Amino acid sequence: MKSLITLFKKYLSSLWKIKYLSLTSIEFYSNVYNKYSGYGFKYLLTLSTIAGLLGSTFFLYLNNHLSLIVNNNKTSHLSSNIYYILDQFPPLSYNGTSITMQDEEPIIIKNLNSERIIAIDINNKITKDQRVRIPIILSKNNLIFYLKSSTKENIKPLLLKYKYVFGGVPREINDEYLQLSLGELIKSIPKVIIYFFFPIITFFTFFNGLISAGQSVLLLYLIALVYNWQSKFKDLFRISIFASAITVFIQSILGLLMTKFIFYIWILQIWCNFLLISGFIKSQNR
C-alpha cells in the first residue's frame, strides 16, 4: 500500500512539474520535441480527466450547499435570496399545459439586491426590450430562459414546456410546492453530475485540446517549410499537445467559476505558443 501511495505521489509531482514547465520553460518544449515519444494523447487525456473530476466536484459542492439550504434551512446569503424570491411567488393555477393566476400581472420578482430575476407575464405585457433583461419569464404556455453570453448581451431565449417542469397533472403552484420541487430536483442532481457533467467536461476539454494542438501544428509546419527543416508530424503534434493541454485545462476550470477569465486564458495561450515556437526553433538549432 505504501509503495502505491509513493508511486501516486511521484506521479502527481511529475505531472505538476510538467504543467509548471509548460508555462515557463522554452527548454522544456525543446526537450519534448527531441527526447519524448508518442503523440501526447495520454498527457492530454490525464489533464482532461482531472478537469472533469474537479468540475464535477465543484458542481457536487454547489448541489450539497443547496441541499442544506432547502432541506435543513441553513442560513446564508444564498438561502436568504432563495426564500426571499419564493416568498414573492403568487399562487398559480396549472391545468397540465398552461398557467393562470388571480393577481394582476405582470409580476416582477427580485432578489435581495433588487435585481430582476423572474417575471410572470401570462399575457405578454412586458416588452421585448424589457424581457431580455430578465433571466426567467413564466409565460402562459412556456418557461422562458434568457441566458447571458460572454460575446453579446443576450442570446436567443430557451423555451421549456411546463409539462417538463410540473408534469401533466393539474395542480396549484405556490411557494411551498416550489420549495418541495426544488428539494426533489436537488436530490437527483448528483447522478446527473456523475453520469453527464463529468464525461462532458472531460470530452470537451480533450476535444478542445486537440483542436488547439492542430492549429499549433499547422503553424509549426509552416515554420519548418520556411526554414526547410525535416520534422515528423508526430513530433510536431506532441510538442503542440503539451502547449495546448495546460491552457484548455485551466480554461475548463476557470470557465466554471468566472467567464471573465476567458480573456486571460487567451493571453496565456499566446504565451504558451511563444514558448512552443521558441522551443521548436531551439530544438532545430542543436
Side-chain angles (χ1 to χ4, degrees), residues 212 216 219 243-244 268-278:
S212 179
S216 299
L219 180 60
S244 64
L268 182 63
Q269 181 68 68
I270 293 177
W271 169 250
C272 287
N273 284 340
F274 166 75
L275 295 177
L276 167 67
I277 294 171
S278 300

Side-chain angles (χ1 to χ4, degrees), residues 7-8 24 41 158:
L7 287 174
F8 183 68
T24 59
F41 289 134
L158 173 65

Side-chain angles (χ1 to χ4, degrees), residues 91-232:
L92 302 175
S93 296
Y94 173 61
N95 63 9
T97 57
S98 60
I99 61 172
T100 58
M101 69 176 178
Q102 299 291 331
D103 299 54
E104 184 178 347
E105 57 160 319
I107 292 178
I108 306 298
I109 297 176
K110 300 180 180 180
N111 62 12
L112 290 172
N113 296 326
S114 297
E115 298 170 330
R116 296 182 174 189
I117 301 299
I118 301 172
I120 303 175
D121 185 28
I122 296 175
N123 293 314
N124 297 320
K125 294 182 179 180
I126 301 177
T127 65
K128 184 177 180 180
D129 289 340
Q130 292 175 323
R131 279 180 167 241
V132 297
R133 295 185 178 94
I134 304 173
I136 303 174
I137 294 180
L138 281 73
S139 66
K140 184 177 181 62
N141 299 306
N142 297 292
L143 184 62
I144 306 172
F145 298 92
Y146 282 92
L147 305 177
K148 296 296 180 180
S149 171
S150 60
T151 56
K152 48 188 177 181
E153 185 177 350
N154 55 73
I155 62 175
K156 186 176 180 179
L158 173 65
L159 276 65
L160 188 63
K161 293 288 185 181
Y162 286 122
K163 66 179 180 180
Y164 298 117
V165 181
F166 304 125
V169 180
R171 67 179 76 247
E172 291 296 315
I173 299 173
N174 52 33
D175 57 342
E176 183 179 352
Y177 169 77
L178 290 174
Q179 183 175 339
L180 290 173
S181 298
L182 182 60
E184 290 298 320
L185 176 63
I186 289 173
K187 289 180 182 179
S188 65
I189 286 179
K191 290 183 180 179
V192 176
I193 293 174
I194 294 171
Y195 294 111
F196 180 75
F197 279 106
F198 170 66
I200 288 296
I201 295 173
T202 301
F203 171 78
F204 277 105
T205 303
F206 186 81
F207 182 75
N208 194 19
L210 291 180
I211 296 298
S212 179
Q215 295 171 343
S216 299
V217 167
L218 179 60
L219 180 60
L220 294 181
Y221 180 72
L222 292 175
I223 293 175
L225 283 179
V226 170
Y227 289 98
N228 197 28
W229 291 335
Q230 300 297 318
S231 300
K232 296 180 180 180

